[in-house]
């Protein structure tokens, strides 16, 4: 399989299904407002993508995997089978996988690993990070958290050595490549949500 990343805009044909999957896949406490994500999604600091399985296209139909506009999508041209969404934040040489979700009907088919392979291909040379819920023995979904961490470790991620607390949820930061420090991560978030938003999430709420 080969994953195609298609930029999502409000006039994209996959806008509504991406929004619905986002709301199903992540608990309310871990979701930023979808409308806000789309406002940040300017291609410079962040971008929302719809994920397609390009291998389902017939020979000769494949389109360039990354960097295209939605022109083909608006015209109704085939880009393969839709499988999920990904939301990336960029800061200097850091790429943060903020959200990743595979449609329920496609889970367990290797698409998560295929996406991470696509990320390594498209963003070669960047330091890639993501957050997962801290694997705490006392967590009611401990096994699910452990399974999720094992999945990322099998795909080349390792612990960055710190956790962050956001909106009451403690996350462990994992990464591929060289270390991204906690201060660099906070700077990345500040570049996305601004100084006041960063202060509110990391200082005000923890008091």
């Amino acid at each position: 399989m080969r994953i195609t990343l298609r930029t999502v805009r409000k006039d994209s044909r996959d806008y509504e299904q991406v929004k619905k999957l986002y709301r199903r896949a992540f608990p309310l406490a871990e979701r930023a407002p979808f409308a806000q994500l789309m406002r940040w999604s300017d291609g410079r600091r962040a971008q929302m993508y719809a994920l397609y399985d390009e291998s389902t296209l017939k020979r000769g139909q494949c389109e360039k995997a990354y960097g295209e506009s939605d022109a083909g999508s608006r015209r109704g041209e085939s880009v393969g089978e839709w499988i999920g969404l990904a939301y990336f934040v960029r800061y200097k040489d850091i790429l943060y996988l903020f959200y990743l979700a595979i449609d329920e009907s496609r889970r367990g088919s290797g698409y998560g690993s295929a996406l991470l392979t696509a990320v390594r291909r498209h963003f070669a040379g960047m330091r890639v990070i993501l957050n997962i819920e801290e694997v705490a023995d006392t967590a009611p979904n401990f096994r699910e958290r452990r399974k999720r961490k094992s999945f990322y470790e099998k795909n080349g991620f390792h612990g960055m050595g710190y956790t962050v607390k956001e909106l009451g949820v403690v996350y462990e930061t994992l990464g591929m490549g060289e270390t991204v420090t906690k201060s660099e991560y906070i700077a990345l978030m500040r570049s996305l949500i601004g100084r006041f938003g960063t202060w509110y999430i990391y200082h005000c709420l923890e008091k």
Side-chain angles (χ1 to χ4, degrees):
M1 64 184 66
R2 183 178 175 86
I3 302 299
T4 296
L5 286 68
R6 301 283 298 188
T7 301
V8 176
R9 301 188 181 94
K10 287 187 176 180
D11 61 347
S12 301
R13 69 175 183 182
D14 40 33
Y15 177 84
E16 287 298 327
Q17 61 186 353
V18 166
K19 180 168 68 173
K20 290 177 181 178
L21 174 59
Y22 172 72
R23 290 176 174 172
R24 294 195 309 269
F26 302 100
L28 183 60
E30 298 178 20
R31 291 199 317 251
F34 189 81
Q36 183 61 64
L37 291 179
M38 293 307 298
R39 282 193 287 271
W40 288 331
S41 186
D42 56 11
R44 179 180 56 83
R45 55 183 173 176
Q47 191 65 67
M48 176 71 80
Y49 292 102
L51 309 178
Y52 287 85
D53 183 358
E54 187 180 271
S55 65
T56 61
L57 293 173
K58 294 180 181 179
R59 187 175 182 180
Q61 288 183 311
C62 294
E63 300 179 77
K64 186 178 179 182
Y66 175 72
E68 289 200 358
S69 69
D70 277 304
S73 182
R74 289 195 293 269
R75 291 194 302 269
E77 296 176 6
S78 177
V79 289
E81 295 182 4
W82 178 77
I83 60 168
L85 67 87
Y87 192 86
F88 300 152
V89 178
R90 300 191 200 195
Y91 175 72
K92 296 183 178 179
D93 68 331
I94 303 170
L95 182 76
Y96 173 39
L97 278 64
F98 201 165
Y99 294 105
L100 164 62
I102 303 298
D103 184 67
E104 294 90 338
S105 65
R106 302 292 182 179
R107 291 174 189 170
S109 301
Y111 284 117
S113 295
L115 170 63
L116 297 177
T117 296
V119 168
R120 285 192 290 267
R121 181 174 67 248
H122 295 311
F123 302 100
M126 297 191 74
R127 292 178 289 166
V128 181
I129 58 171
L130 55 81
N131 284 338
I132 61 170
E133 290 178 302
E134 184 182 33
V135 183
D137 295 342
T138 55
N141 62 340
F142 169 75
R143 291 184 179 179
E144 179 183 337
R145 295 186 185 195
R146 177 65 257 182
K147 183 178 180 180
R148 186 178 297 120
K149 184 173 182 179
S150 295
F151 163 76
Y152 285 114
E153 289 175 335
K154 290 177 182 177
N155 281 277
F157 283 81
H158 54 89
M160 293 286 100
Y162 56 85
T163 61
V164 292
K165 187 176 182 180
E166 299 177 349
L167 300 178
V169 181
V170 178
Y171 299 97
E172 179 182 359
T173 302
L174 307 180
M176 284 193 295
E178 296 182 13
T179 298
V180 173
T181 66
K182 189 171 184 177
S183 62
E184 286 181 307
Y185 173 78
I186 299 298
L188 176 148
M189 293 302 293
R190 185 183 300 119
S191 74
L192 182 69
I193 64 178
R195 290 182 178 276
F196 176 76
T198 305
W199 172 82
Y200 181 75
I201 290 175
Y202 297 108
H203 298 285
C204 179
L205 288 181
E206 293 191 8
K207 293 182 179 180

